[in-house]
Amino acid sequence: MAAVVLFALAGIAAAGIDAPAHEVMQYGGRLAVVLVCSVVGLALVAWLLLRPRAARPSSLGWLSAVVSVLCLLATVFVWVSVAADDTLSNVPGTVVASQDDSTSYLRSEQREGVQQIPTGVSIQTAQFTDANNVRLTGYLWQRLPADADTKTANLDLPAAVDGGATEQVYLHTNSDNTKTVGWKLRTTLREQFDYGHYPLDRQVVWATMWPRNPGTVLVPDFAAYPPWEPENGLGLYTDMVTGEWRMHFSTFSMGESTTRSTMGRTDTTIDTTVPALHFSTGITRAFLSPLLDRLVPLIVITLLVFASLFVVTTDSDRRSLAGFSTWTVIGFCGAMMLVVAVQHSSLRSSTGSTGVVYAEYFYFILYLVIALVAFNVVEYTSTRRFAFLDWNGNMAARLLYWPVVTALLLGTTVAVFLL
């Protein structure tokens, strides 16, 4: 009956998810209900089919394996869904995909009569130099009035640490009494990136541009591109070397910024806003390599800790054969804890994050599991023991080990990505 109720809840939650696989992450809460109810429901079905009994330890072993596999499959499903997700998120301002969109935005902001400077970019390389700095190179161009100054670009990059669009590379006179001026773009932008989902994180690198000349507004030069589709990667060099990152969208957006000062000008107030043009690139980390780098050593440690449960015994003959003692296993657990702590510290250093990243939960889970195993050894070999620990030579700890590990992994994954 409980399994039927859980499957009904999962079906009700799934009924509201009508998006394709690459957009399913926007239904985080519902997807969490579907996964949890499905795993618990299938575990109950397995219980009914296997009918585990204490007199048949093998049936309990099969149930333990089924629950562990279900939790692991649900975790992998979340990983795959995160990797496939390509929805536009964390893009500053209002996304525009055509000249009509730009005109509508300017009209809504009452800037329609302001002189517009069509501006375009083509990014050739992008490289993270540290956790918050990204180095961009490429080209930037503007279509300016015939009498405009072409020595410098009519824009500022407020987030630039160095460089900018300072080297003019071409000047072309157009038939509509304008001229197109192109500059070489070399700059390092400093931005706040969120590594909370590492190594399944996705970032948005945006170049914010302000007009340098008062009374002008920057708009995307859509005439210089094919019809804009974010997933086509327009504005990005087609043979760009992305390294551990995968580009999954590029887009222009328009917004407003405030300097909260007059910048020394007498014709403005501290509340005056600056029209901003953003060129944003969504990137997703190629997570398989860093995930395996972190998981493989932890899986080995998890297996070794699990194996230590099989040398726990109160039989004096087996104890002398295995060389077991309580302090031996505790010392082993302490050594494994130290190895995990060193790897954890390495992770913190490599990400440079100020908060807790997703991969750190692997280490938190292993800290807890190692501590529980050490507690199990002490409790099992003491004179006062829990009855279930004494059953069949510490069988309960062995049966619960993998379901606990995989359930904790699924729980943290659902909490981080779906809730």
Side-chain angles (χ1 to χ4, degrees):
M1 182 63 183
V4 174
V5 173
L6 289 170
F7 285 133
L9 290 175
I12 293 172
I17 302 177
D18 55 0
H22 61 277
E23 296 179 359
V24 74
M25 292 302 294
Q26 62 182 309
Y27 299 92
R30 292 181 179 180
L31 186 58
V33 173
V34 171
L35 287 176
V36 173
C37 289
S38 298
V39 168
V40 177
L42 290 173
L44 290 176
V45 171
W47 177 282
L48 295 174
L49 293 176
L50 294 171
R51 297 185 180 278
R53 297 290 184 273
R56 294 189 300 130
S58 61
S59 63
L60 291 171
W62 280 110
L63 180 62
S64 173
V66 169
V67 172
S68 301
V69 170
L70 288 174
C71 292
L72 187 59
L73 289 177
T75 302
V76 172
F77 174 79
V78 176
W79 290 350
V80 173
S81 299
V82 171
D85 183 35
D86 62 357
T87 54
L88 299 182
S89 59
N90 300 326
V91 175
T94 302
V95 174
V96 291
S98 66
Q99 184 60 48
D100 291 339
D101 290 345
S102 301
T103 302
S104 298
Y105 174 80
L106 293 176
R107 184 182 301 115
S108 66
E109 297 297 324
Q110 300 180 350
R111 295 183 183 273
E112 190 176 14
V114 180
Q115 182 183 6
Q116 301 179 22
I117 305 297
T119 303
V121 295
S122 178
I123 304 299
Q124 291 182 305
T125 66
Q127 179 184 13
F128 281 88
T129 57
D130 61 31
N132 295 104
N133 286 359
V134 59
R135 179 73 176 173
L136 300 180
T137 66
Y139 293 93
L140 183 148
W141 66 89
Q142 292 183 307
R143 285 194 287 120
L144 302 171
D147 58 348
D149 179 18
T150 60
K151 293 181 180 180
T152 58
N154 180 15
L155 60 84
D156 285 321
L157 298 169
V161 177
D162 57 35
T166 56
E167 178 187 348
Q168 185 180 130
V169 292
Y170 64 86
L171 174 61
H172 177 72
T173 302
N174 304 314
S175 58
D176 59 352
N177 199 32
T178 63
K179 49 189 176 183
T180 300
V181 188
W183 290 270
K184 183 66 178 179
L185 177 65
R186 296 188 184 92
T187 185
T188 298
L189 301 179
R190 184 163 184 82
E191 300 173 1
Q192 183 65 47
F193 297 109
D194 181 11
Y195 294 97
H197 289 172
Y198 176 90
L200 295 151
D201 55 321
R202 57 184 61 238
Q203 310 295 344
V204 176
V205 179
W206 64 85
T208 299
M209 296 168 278
W210 292 352
R212 178 171 295 173
N213 298 336
T216 62
V217 60
L218 305 180
V219 297
D221 186 14
F222 287 115
Y225 302 98
W228 197 277
E229 296 291 342
E231 64 272 14
N232 289 343
L234 300 178
L236 304 175
Y237 182 49
T238 54
D239 294 325
M240 178 185 293
V241 177
T242 57
E244 65 174 338
W245 297 95
R246 177 177 63 87
M247 307 293 178
H248 67 97
F249 74 79
S250 61
T251 187
F252 279 104
S253 59
M254 301 176 68
E256 293 186 343
S257 303
T258 177
T259 59
R260 300 182 65 182
S261 71
T262 64
M263 305 294 285
R265 295 170 52 187
T266 58
D267 58 342
T268 62
T269 66
I270 58 174
D271 297 323
T272 300
T273 57
V274 179
L277 174 64
H278 312 277
F279 178 75
S280 303
T281 303
I283 56 178
T284 302
R285 192 185 300 272
F287 70 90
L288 186 59
S289 177
L291 190 64
L292 291 178
D293 287 344
R294 299 295 173 183
L295 275 183
V296 170
L298 296 184
I299 290 174
V300 173
I301 294 173
T302 307
L303 290 170
L304 291 175
V305 174
F306 177 62
S308 70
L309 292 173
F310 288 84
V311 301
V312 177
T313 180
T314 55
D315 185 272
S316 58
D317 294 333
R318 290 184 57 195
R319 184 184 304 175
S320 61
L321 180 64
F324 163 80
S325 70
T326 302
W327 284 109
T328 300
V329 177
I330 292 178
F332 169 77
C333 290
M336 292 298 99
M337 193 79 80
L338 180 60
V339 173
V340 174
V342 170
Q343 294 195 16
H344 187 185
S345 177
S346 172
L347 171 65
R348 295 288 302 174
S349 299
S350 63
T351 59
S353 176
T354 57
V356 177
V357 303
Y358 170 64
E360 287 187 80
Y361 289 104
F362 302 161
Y363 300 92
F364 295 150
I365 291 172
L366 207 47
Y367 291 145
L368 177 61
V369 169
I370 294 174
L372 289 175
V373 169
F375 171 79
N376 170 255
V377 173
V378 173
E379 186 64 28
Y380 181 69
T381 56
S382 65
T383 56
R384 297 181 179 179
R385 294 180 295 198
F386 293 110
F388 78 94
L389 288 179
D390 195 36
W391 171 71
N392 203 8
N394 204 33
M395 180 66 74
R398 301 169 192 168
L399 291 174
L400 289 173
Y401 185 87
W402 290 111
V404 168
V405 171
T406 54
L408 288 173
L409 180 60
L410 174 60
T412 54
T413 301
V414 168
V416 170
F417 291 105
L418 302 182
L419 300 180

